[in-house]
Every structure is written in structure tokens, then in C-alpha cells.
């Protein structure tokens, strides 16, 4: 358990102990930054509500990333890890969009900073625009 002394909150020492027991080597400065980020009421401790909020946000982010990965994989028909002109054009066609190869190429170049394909990282980044 994170709250080793059962007082209802997690302090930096308890978090350090937990991180160490997980086999992670994180400098104390980074742990302090983590506590400061989670500790919204700035009392130097992580209450259950603060911890729960961060965990919920992490789970939502994870679920969103899984959904984006499924969409990416459905467009990446040849499973080579990138979406190319033909693949995106076909996906858009399936959605009722009739676009030229040149238009699709422009979209891909915009999303990938000039390349003719999009990686999953590019795809994630543009999904937030």
C-alpha cells in the first residue's frame, strides 16, 4: 500500500519508498515535482481524492490512446506502422470523401512535418488539434 502509516494521505517519503520497491530509480527532485503536480491543495501531501483524480486522468488517457491506436491500425491496412497516401485515401473514400492523391499527400505532409506518411505518434499529435 502507498499509505504505509494509514493516516489517509501519501507523503513524499511513502511515495519514494513505493517507487523504490517498484524497482524504479527516480531522482528525489522528480518525485518532489510529481507530488507538487498531484497535490492540488498544496499541503505537501497527496490525499485520496488527489490520487484518484490523477489515476482517473491516466486511465482516460490510456483509453483514448487505445482507441486512437485501433483507428490508426484500421487505416494502416498493410500493418507496416505508418499510414501512406493510398491507405488514407481509401479510409476517406470509405467515409464518403472523394479526395485526390495530391490532397491526401498534403494532409499527410502537414501531419508529419513534410513526410508522405504518418506514424502513430504523428496521428496522436494531430488528433489533439
Amino acid at each position: 500500500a502507498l499509505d504505509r502509516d494509514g493516516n489517509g494521505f501519501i507523503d513524499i517519503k511513502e511515495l519514494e519508498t513505493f517507487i523504490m520497491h517498484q524497482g524504479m530509480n527516480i531522482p528525489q527532485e522528480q518525485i518532489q515535482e510529481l507530488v507538487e503536480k498531484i497535490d492540488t491543495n498544496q499541503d505537501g501531501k497527496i490525499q485520496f481524492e488527489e490520487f484518484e483524480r490523477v489515476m482517473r486522468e491516466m486511465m482516460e488517457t490510456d483509453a483514448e490512446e487505445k482507441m486512437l491506436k485501433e483507428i490508426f491500425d484500421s487505416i494502416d491496412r498493410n500493418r507496416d506502422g505508418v499510414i501512406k497516401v493510398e491507405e488514407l485515401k481509401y479510409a476517406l473514400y470509405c467515409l464518403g470523401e472523394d479526395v485526390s492523391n495530391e490532397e491526401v499527400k498534403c494532409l499527410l505532409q502537414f501531419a508529419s512535418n513534410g513526410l508522405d506518411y504518418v506514424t502513430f505518434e504523428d496521428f496522436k499529435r494531430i488528433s489533439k488539434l
Side-chain angles (χ1 to χ4, degrees):
L2 277 168
D3 181 14
R4 292 176 109 21
D5 59 11
N7 62 1
F9 59 83
I10 304 163
D11 62 30
I12 192 164
K13 291 293 181 203
E14 289 170 321
L15 189 57
E16 286 174 349
T17 301
F18 175 77
I19 288 171
M20 188 178 65
H21 285 182
Q22 299 302 309
M24 296 182 268
N25 187 18
I26 300 175
Q28 186 174 2
E29 298 82 36
Q30 287 183 343
I31 295 171
Q32 181 64 41
E33 289 173 16
L34 179 62
V35 169
E36 290 170 5
K37 183 177 180 179
I38 297 170
D39 181 21
T40 56
N41 68 2
Q42 300 178 336
D43 65 355
K45 308 170 205 167
I46 301 172
Q47 276 75 25
F48 176 75
E49 295 78 19
E50 293 167 328
F51 183 75
E52 181 183 44
R53 178 186 48 79
V54 169
M55 294 305 294
R56 189 173 42 254
E57 288 172 4
M58 288 173 58
M59 289 189 309
E60 288 170 1
T61 300
D62 189 43
E64 180 181 312
E65 186 162 329
K66 284 179 183 175
M67 181 187 69
L68 286 173
K69 182 70 171 138
E70 288 175 15
I71 294 168
F72 180 88
D73 288 345
S74 71
I75 298 171
D76 179 20
R77 295 170 49 105
N78 67 0
R79 302 286 186 246
D80 65 352
V82 296
I83 296 173
K84 296 180 184 133
V85 171
E86 306 79 32
E87 294 167 321
L88 183 55
K89 184 174 180 176
Y90 180 75
L92 292 169
Y93 172 79
C94 290
L95 294 171
E97 298 293 328
D98 187 23
V99 293
S100 70
N101 282 358
E102 198 57 40
E103 290 171 313
V104 173
K105 188 175 178 180
C106 284
L107 285 171
L108 291 173
Q109 288 175 340
F110 170 76
S112 65
N113 295 317
L115 302 174
D116 291 342
Y117 59 87
V118 174
T119 65
F120 180 61
E121 291 304 312
D122 296 327
F123 192 75
K124 281 193 320 188
R125 189 182 70 252
I126 63 168
S127 74
K128 296 179 188 333
L129 297 178

